[in-house]
Amino acid sequence: ATAAASATTEFDFKSYMGSRAEAVNRALDAAIPAGEDPVSLHEAMRYALLAGGKRVRPALCLAACGVAGGREAWALAPAAAVEMVHTMSLVHDDLPCMDDDDLRRGKPTCHVVYGEPIAVLAGDALLSLAFHHMASVGSYPPDVDPDKHPARVVRAIGELARCIGSEGLVAGQVVDLEMTGTSEIVPLERLEYIHLHKTAALLEASVVIGAIIGGATDEQIERLRKYARSIGLLFQVVDDILDVTKSSEELGKTAGKDLASDKTTYPKLLGLDKSREFAEKLLSDAKEQLAGFDKEKAAPLLHLAYYIAHRQN
Ligand code: GRG
């Protein structure tokens, strides 16, 4: 905490995140015209996409482009694209045939407002719009080397595609669904599989895509990939810990709702102390991968890791 506090004085994380979120929100707003035919579809896409959200994935994408030596503006379209993929995965995750949730980002879910068929199709349309954005080579700023750029874009598109399907988000969701409703405790290895696929895969792709577009070397890309996998898992471990600690506070009990619920979590498998130790280990692994990069350029990624580790909600 001391290291995080002293580093915070040198880097204004809040204003970094605020300005990046603003730029990404502008790009997302411009990506889907309001009032265009079919109105219901475009409204549902805008509703899901512009409903808030921390914009962690786009920030990672922009920051990784910067640490690789690129201009963050080069990665704005890919940053918008990863948020579109994230949002569509939330829309589909909330459907009655999946998690059946009524609230998302503090608002009624997309299918509650627009109905299930439109919510499914809005998700599909967001997914394809994401790839349209990735492929919009012509919209990248002209100061990118025109010889190198198309190869980077193609590689980045492959990275995004891989993290979504049967090697990524969809795989994680399937295994998660298979585990839901069973009374058995999910083994640690299976829990990790779910998180690495459902959560870490897109965080990893966000970082790697930014790094590719920014011109990172293969060796740098692999280090940033490791950084992202660590923070991806960290994201979930912290989520599990908060679930226990927050509900304990709320209930004024020593054991929170999580320990009592059916869901398998890190605190349930490892206990709270060991889960916290694991979180610290993941944070230090992530930091280690940033060691070889220019300190100033790596500051946003370092602080994103601190943020994920120390967030309170
Ligand atoms: C991707 C084709 C395709 C289908 C969807 C439903 C599904 C397959 C996957 C589920 C993915 C899922 C819901 C993962 C959980 C991700 C997660 C950690 C969400 C919370 O992220 P935050 O905290 O949310 O960044 P905000 O609202 O801030 O953006």
Side-chain angles (χ1 to χ4, degrees), residues 2-3 25 46 49 65 72 79 86 88 103 105 127 141 145 151 153 160 170 186 194 208 225 244-245 254 280 298:
T2 329
N25 288 341
R46 288 179 62 84
L49 205 50
C65 181
E72 285 195 11
H86 170 56
M88 74 73 53
L103 278 178
R105 292 167 166 171
L127 183 57
D145 182 338
V153 172
L160 186 62
V170 173
V186 179
I194 293 171
V208 169
R225 189 187 292 286
V244 179
T245 51
T254 46
E280 283 306 319

Side-chain angles (χ1 to χ4, degrees), residues 70-118:
R71 284 176 203 266
E72 285 195 11
W74 298 353
L76 190 57
V82 295
E83 187 64 23
M84 288 174 193
V85 173
H86 170 56
T87 298
M88 74 73 53
S89 80
L90 301 179
V91 169
H92 282 193
D93 190 54
D94 292 334
L95 288 168
C97 64
M98 303 264 181
D99 271 9
D100 194 9
D101 279 316
D102 291 344
L103 278 178
R104 168 69 66 182
R105 292 167 166 171
K107 291 169 68 178
T109 41
C110 194
H111 67 270
V112 165
V113 179
Y114 295 95
E116 256 184 270
I118 292 294

